Amino acid sequence: MHGSRYNVILVGGGVVGLAVALEITRRFPQQQLLLLEKEEAVARHQSGHNSGVIHSGIYYKPGSLKARLCVAGAAAMIEFCREHGIPHKVCGKVIVATHQDEFPRLEELCRRGNANGLTGLRPIGPEELRDIEPHARGLRALYVPSTGVTDYAAVCQKYAELISAHGGTILTSAAVTGIKHYADEIVVETARGVFSTASLINCAGLFSDRISRMAGDDPGVMIVPFRGEYYDLVPERAALVRALIYPVPDPRFPFLGVHFTRRVTGKVDAGPNAVLALKREGYRRSDVNLGDASSSLMFPGFWRMAAQHWRSGCSEYYRSLSKTAFVGALQRLLPEVCKADFVRGDSGVRAQAVKPDGSLVDDFQIVPSARTLHVLNVPSPAATASLLIARTILDTASQMWAWAR
Ligand SMILES: Cc1cc2nc3c(=O)[nH]c(=O)nc-3n(C[C@H](O)[C@H](O)[C@H](O)COP(=O)(O)OP(=O)(O)OC[C@H]3O[C@@H](n4cnc5c(N)ncnc54)[C@H](O)[C@@H]3O)c2cc1C
């Protein structure tokens, strides 16, 4: 036997890995669990650098995992926040059409929302839009009352606290560097020692494809990092936004277009855009990692993706470099804002799985194999849906590994 022995090891202390670990300690308390996180604390990447929105589930294809797990996950997230005193607010949002061309997409969103079981969705005109968001302008809009906001870093802290209270172990500063399979165990090498386990769940976010390969499996996709940059609305102008103001998204892209978000703290930010990052955890434009960049460039799917989406990629880059262009996109929703109202804010990096044919994986992708399970694509709304993603993963894993309650 190699090192301390566990029934299950999870890789990754983001909202998904933590939610899965929490679900294990609740449903299968007899399973000895170890969660390994490479950073000094949990939620240092996507889970701590996002918009903090509790998505309603309106955007996703009816029947998809995203649609099912987001709608139920949003309700579970609100209940979790309520139960544990985590700041949250169900503030609603408006999706605003500023062009007639957008009307069919707005109608399609309303159809999707109703098909996904959202309640209270309401198409509204310019006057009602003004009652809800007095400074927003549009020709038509959709009011989504069930959308909310929270602080996912605080949610992660609470997940971690509960995991430890239920007997699970979380080890930070423990980057996984090697995974070896033996007849009756999997051996995991980390920066803090060697551990052995009967089964392994990979929730490594931006590195989930590499962990899958390290475990001897073929992920079949590559994780391509897309940085999302925000501007903050200066506090004196924050009153221009009551809650959440979104544009009508382009259905070809999973990213939603720059929008306004009033966070639980009351701060209002604008963004995020979506620019290709040259480093998997590259939060600044100047961040480059030659290994990350060259592995993206050597993946045939990358070039096929670039061939399909170069136009929108270029305009995202332009908006990243030009504050005038970024603010121009926001002025369509809120004509009163000007460049001086914004200062550069935070950024986050999304993990987007890309297939060899260049297409972006749209739905959540969870891939089980004999003794491992890989979570390969959990972009937004995965923070919202984390409790339900965890339940789904455990339904599969517990059957596969014959865990009895
Ligand atoms: C800009 C932006 C805005 C977003 N907005 C929203 C939103 O409003 N609402 C919403 O629901 N979702 C949103 N999302 C999506 C959401 O944040 C992610 O889907 C979610 O956080 C993914 O969680 P995760 O646990 O898979 O990944 P992560 O949070 O990235 O966690 C993965 C963890 O694995 C660790 N790890 C990696 N490699 C190793 C290794 N070798 N050894 C040990 N540990 C390792 C990392 O350090 C990291 O902590 C947004 C995302 C971004 C980037």
Side-chain angles (χ1 to χ4, degrees), residues 303-324:
W303 293 104
R304 294 185 183 119
M305 176 188 76
Q308 289 164 36
H309 300 301
W310 66 270
R311 242 189 220 100
S312 62
C314 289
S315 62
E316 287 292 319
Y317 254 115
Y318 177 59
R319 262 208 316 233
S320 164
L321 296 170
S322 160
K323 185 175 178 184
T324 307

Side-chain angles (χ1 to χ4, degrees), residues 78-348:
I78 291 164
E79 185 49 39
F80 184 85
C81 291
R82 214 172 267 149
E83 187 184 344
H84 296 284
I86 296 167
H88 69 287
K89 194 172 178 193
V90 182
C91 52
K93 85 168 171 187
V94 285
I95 304 173
V96 181
T98 53
H99 235 263
Q100 286 190 353
D101 302 358
E102 295 170 332
F103 291 174
R105 279 189 267 145
L106 199 63
E107 283 158 20
E108 173 57 20
L109 276 184
C110 191
R111 261 194 303 276
R112 276 194 178 186
N114 287 324
N116 290 344
L118 271 70
T119 51
L121 269 186
R122 204 167 73 239
I124 56 176
E127 265 126 61
E128 206 177 341
L129 171 62
R130 222 164 292 156
D131 291 341
I132 298 169
E133 285 288 352
H135 302 275
R137 291 291 174 273
L139 301 174
R140 282 184 195 171
L142 193 57
Y143 178 56
V144 190
S146 55
T147 305
V149 284
T150 187
D151 173 355
Y152 287 114
V155 168
C156 286
Q157 287 306 333
K158 183 53 75 176
Y159 285 173
E161 205 180 295
L162 295 171
I163 293 162
S164 303
H166 296 166
T169 305
I170 298 176
L171 203 59
T172 54
S173 305
V176 172
T177 52
I179 299 171
K180 296 199 172 82
H181 286 264
Y182 293 91
D184 61 344
E185 63 181 356
I186 301 171
V187 172
V188 183
E189 296 160 359
T190 81
R192 291 189 61 186
V194 175
F195 304 93
S196 97
T197 181
S199 41
L200 180 133
I201 303 180
N202 161 18
C203 305
L206 286 151
F207 290 93
S208 54
D209 55 344
R210 292 203 187 152
I211 294 290
S212 163
R213 227 168 277 120
M214 207 186 270
D217 294 317
D218 173 10
V221 292
M222 165 163 270
I223 299 296
V224 175
F226 284 93
R227 189 173 48 257
E229 299 156 332
Y230 295 87
Y231 277 94
D232 294 339
L233 198 53
V234 293
E236 311 84 77
R237 301 285 277 165
L240 292 175
V241 176
R242 281 188 178 163
L244 307 174
I245 309 175
Y246 279 59
V248 181
D250 184 330
R252 290 168 303 162
F253 302 109
F255 315 122
L256 298 174
V258 290
H259 47 266
F260 291 95
T261 306
R262 178 176 281 274
R263 298 200 176 235
V264 268
T265 55
K267 187 183 123 190
V268 174
D269 58 37
N273 57 6
V275 288
L276 187 69
L278 297 175
K279 185 177 174 194
R280 290 201 180 201
E281 290 166 352
Y283 294 95
R284 292 166 306 181
R285 247 185 272 146
S286 54
D287 285 341
V288 179
N289 177 300
L290 289 180
D292 289 351
S294 61
S295 65
S296 286
L297 297 176
M298 275 156 47
F299 176 60
F302 175 85
W303 293 104
R304 294 185 183 119
M305 176 188 76
Q308 289 164 36
H309 300 301
W310 66 270
R311 242 189 220 100
S312 62
C314 289
S315 62
E316 287 292 319
Y317 254 115
Y318 177 59
R319 262 208 316 233
S320 164
L321 296 170
S322 160
K323 185 175 178 184
T324 307
F326 198 106
V327 173
L330 295 165
Q331 279 167 332
R332 286 178 53 199
L333 299 170
L334 210 66
E336 283 173 59
V337 291
C338 64
K339 255 171 94 175
D341 295 335
F342 295 95
V343 291
R344 273 218 177 263
D346 197 4
S347 66

Side-chain angles (χ1 to χ4, degrees), residues 12 14-16 37-38 45-47 50-51 53 55 176 378-379 382-384:
V15 73
V16 174
E37 166 54 51
K38 69 178 165 60
H45 292 291
Q46 296 177 89
S47 305
N50 56 44
S51 299
V53 176
H55 284 294
V176 172
V378 277
T384 303

